[in-house]
Amino acid sequence: MLNNTQQKPLLSSIKQAISSSKSNATIGTLGAIATIAAASFPLHANANEFLDGRAQVNFLALQNYQSIQAKDGAFRPEDEEQSSGFGRLRVNLQLKFKITDYITADVDIAEEPNDFGNNGDRDFSFHQDFAGIEFELLGLSGAPRENADLTLRLGNIGASPFQFKGFQDGADNQANALIGNGITDYATAENGIQLSYTESLDSGILKKYNVAGHMTTSSFGEAFQEDRGFNFRIQGTLEFEGGFKAGLNFFQANQGDQLIFEDGVASLAGLTTTNYRFGDGENYNFSASASSERDTHVGALPGLDQSIIQLNLAYQPSPETSVIFMIGETSDDYTFADADGNAVAGITYFGTNGVADASGTTFDSVSVIEGESSVAYYTLEAQQYIIPNKFFVAARYSHAENTSDLIEQTDNEVERIQVSAGYWINEKTLWKFEYVDQDEGLNSGGQIGRGFDGFTSEISVKF
């Protein structure tokens, strides 16, 4: 297990060699990431094609059941005594259109309480969850290549520093071997542009490489206020003979110019922050929060001048076996604070001035002060099909340490263990069952307070 002293030199050296990965033309909030992961495992339900292949349609639905409790000492005491029960049905309609041989468009329409569950959890409307237009520039220029493509995407851009593993987004869960995502996935979709290049090689140890870069605004809607800034990503992937893959990712945001300080404290009210500061929603839910809360992730960074550097390694020697290791660091020039300007470990904190009090009151910080906040983290994930194309087991261990300059460097870690099994009832229907156990230190930036544990299950269809 790497400690913070061991991690930072490695992460510093990583920053010297940034490259990027092509996300293939696909549909879904992070469909490109899920496609890369799913390609190494048995493929099941594919898209339904219409109009001589010019239109592709997938319908997805998911029902979950959970029996999860927050641990003693949680920020919100009501989370410690929850009832078991069923979650809301999640539904996605994914459409992809081949406009010409070199232009495609996609849209994912979702009723997804993970993202759109606010308004007192009464909002049952369908929303555009992800959409864009992609131009294959080599073909459009009259120089198409069978082994390479150069793609410009306009619209929603799926952004995350992880690669090779599946991701859960509403009903789109079948590429994720487990049920939860990760405590430091930092995944989202925003508006912008992305340019990506991929090339397959006929001989040699290297089979394929991908590079990509994007620029987005920190909003899934529209945000034009003064000094809003942009988010930038550059990403690279190498795939070798024998099933070894490596990827490197770098993100940088510049939203800090929006801040207005008074007596050393600035308010976040009305500001646009990076959507990937907490990651996307998960299918764990707590009674004291809305469905769309991101309170199972590490919430240590405000998401203003945030940077992320992450290295991803995967070994996938066969369609039945996968081992993935991810290590990274994210930092920001600002730290969450209470109303008096005292630094707190994360957006959610307990009591007055960050000190626990008898009333059990919890707060969500809307203030920041100058001072670096940072999280160093790593994740190990494995999946193995016991019965090919039918039954698999999977596990993930995630560790994150709040290394922020102004936070006490004791009791500052979050750990999550996930153990899962999945059974394909048929090629379109997947049942999954998972045990999850998360521990959170007082200074960790964990948003539950002490963590949680329990069992959860999902059954999903994709056709």
Side-chain angles (χ1 to χ4, degrees):
M1 185 177 298
L2 298 177
N3 58 36
N4 186 48
T5 302
Q6 293 169 313
Q7 285 177 337
K8 284 198 170 181
L10 173 61
L11 295 168
S12 296
S13 64
I14 291 172
K15 291 181 180 180
Q16 306 301 317
I18 305 298
S19 322
S20 154
S21 131
K22 174 186 185 325
S23 65
N24 296 322
T26 128
I27 50 183
T29 299
L30 289 166
I33 299 166
T35 297
I36 293 171
S40 299
F41 293 98
L43 297 178
H44 292 84
N46 295 316
N48 304 292
E49 294 190 350
F50 302 92
L51 303 176
D52 295 326
R54 293 196 172 272
Q56 297 180 1
V57 180
N58 275 128
F59 176 78
L60 297 81
L62 177 150
Q63 176 67 71
N64 71 305
Y65 181 89
Q66 75 168 38
S67 179
I68 289 176
Q69 303 286 354
K71 296 181 179 180
D72 291 345
F75 286 141
R76 302 175 177 95
E78 53 267 49
D79 290 338
E80 297 175 17
E81 296 293 337
Q82 294 193 136
S83 297
S84 302
F86 294 94
R88 274 173 53 185
L89 186 74
R90 287 139 168 85
V91 179
N92 290 63
L93 180 63
Q94 298 178 342
L95 309 172
K96 184 175 180 179
F97 304 98
K98 185 177 180 181
I99 298 170
T100 72
D101 287 344
Y102 303 112
I103 303 175
T104 60
D106 56 76
V107 60
D108 184 351
I109 302 171
E111 202 292 291
E112 184 187 350
N114 304 69
D115 281 337
F116 303 109
N118 281 323
N119 190 27
D121 288 339
R122 295 188 299 272
D123 185 356
F124 285 83
S125 302
F126 280 86
H127 301 261
Q128 175 199 314
D129 191 46
F130 190 78
I133 305 172
E134 296 192 345
F135 303 87
E136 204 290 291
L137 300 181
L138 296 180
L140 288 172
S141 67
R145 296 173 57 187
E146 291 186 0
N147 69 328
D149 61 71
L150 177 65
T151 300
L152 175 67
R153 179 177 178 87
L154 309 176
N156 297 141
I157 307 299
S160 175
F162 65 77
Q163 296 158 297
F164 314 129
K165 78 179 186 72
F167 182 81
Q168 186 131 339
D169 187 40
D172 195 355
N173 79 323
Q174 292 188 351
N176 183 14
L178 298 111
I179 288 178
N181 288 319
I183 57 176
T184 53
D185 272 351
Y186 300 118
T188 191
E190 298 174 332
N191 295 316
I193 58 174
Q194 175 177 279
L195 184 64
S196 57
Y197 177 79
T198 184
E199 182 172 349
S200 300
L201 305 176
D202 295 331
S203 61
I205 298 176
L206 183 64
K207 293 174 55 180
K208 182 188 291 187
Y209 67 90
N210 309 295
V211 293
H214 81 221
M215 179 175 71
T216 63
T217 56
S218 291
S219 174
F220 196 74
E222 295 182 345
F224 301 108
Q225 64 266 34
E226 184 180 6
D227 295 325
R228 184 217 57 241
F230 291 93
N231 297 337
F232 301 91
R233 175 188 65 161
I234 186 167
Q235 186 177 60
T237 303
L238 302 174
E239 299 186 21
F240 299 91
E241 290 284 352
F244 180 74
K245 302 177 183 180
L248 190 62
N249 303 264
F250 180 71
F251 284 70
Q252 181 64 58
N254 59 341
Q255 316 297 328
D257 288 345
Q258 301 172 87
L259 295 172
I260 299 174
F261 286 90
E262 294 183 9
D263 298 324
V265 182
S267 173
L268 293 174
L271 303 189
T272 299
T273 58
T274 59
N275 284 333
Y276 50 73
R277 62 179 181 159
F278 297 145
D280 210 339
E282 292 194 293
N283 287 358
Y284 311 131
N285 193 237
F286 291 87
S287 57
S289 57
S291 301
S292 60
E293 287 293 320
R294 271 76 167 130
D295 54 12
T296 58
H297 292 73
V298 178
L301 274 69
L304 292 161
D305 289 349
Q306 182 178 358
S307 65
I308 306 174
I309 180 77
Q310 183 168 320
L311 172 68
N312 304 293
L313 303 174
Y315 180 57
Q316 299 173 322
S318 74
E320 286 77 37
T321 305
S322 170
V323 179
I324 303 166
F325 178 70
M326 297 165 280
I327 184 170
E329 183 180 37
T330 180
S331 62
D332 202 330
D333 292 340
Y334 305 95
T335 297
F336 282 117
D338 63 20
D340 296 324
N342 301 296
V344 293
I347 186 172
T348 305
Y349 63 101
F350 186 46
T352 303
N353 297 333
V355 179
D357 67 21
S359 69
T361 304
T362 59
F363 302 90
D364 283 338
S365 175
V366 294
S367 302
V368 296
I369 56 177
E370 291 185 343
E372 184 180 82
S373 56
S374 60
V375 176
Y377 58 91
Y378 64 91
T379 299
L380 180 64
E381 178 177 323
Q383 180 181 8
Q384 176 65 50
Y385 268 85
I386 306 300
I387 303 175
N389 292 297
K390 199 68 175 177
F391 175 71
F392 67 83
V393 293
R396 181 188 296 147
Y397 174 76
S398 305
H399 178 276
E401 183 178 0
N402 188 344
T403 55
S404 303
D405 289 348
L406 303 179
I407 302 304
E408 182 69 32
Q409 295 298 288
T410 58
D411 200 21
N412 62 336
E413 298 179 352
V414 178
E415 293 182 308
R416 181 189 290 180
I417 297 173
Q418 298 166 252
V419 181
S420 178
Y423 181 76
W424 289 93
I425 298 172
N426 55 48
E427 67 176 8
K428 302 179 187 297
T429 307
L430 175 62
W431 172 79
K432 291 192 290 187
F433 180 84
E434 177 185 282
Y435 170 72
V436 58
D437 186 346
Q438 180 160 314
D439 284 318
E440 303 174 5
L442 183 63
N443 298 313
S444 67
Q447 299 178 74
I448 302 300
R450 285 299 179 185
F452 60 93
D453 62 356
F455 296 90
T456 184
S457 183
E458 295 176 342
I459 188 165
S460 61
V461 295
K462 181 177 182 179
F463 60 90

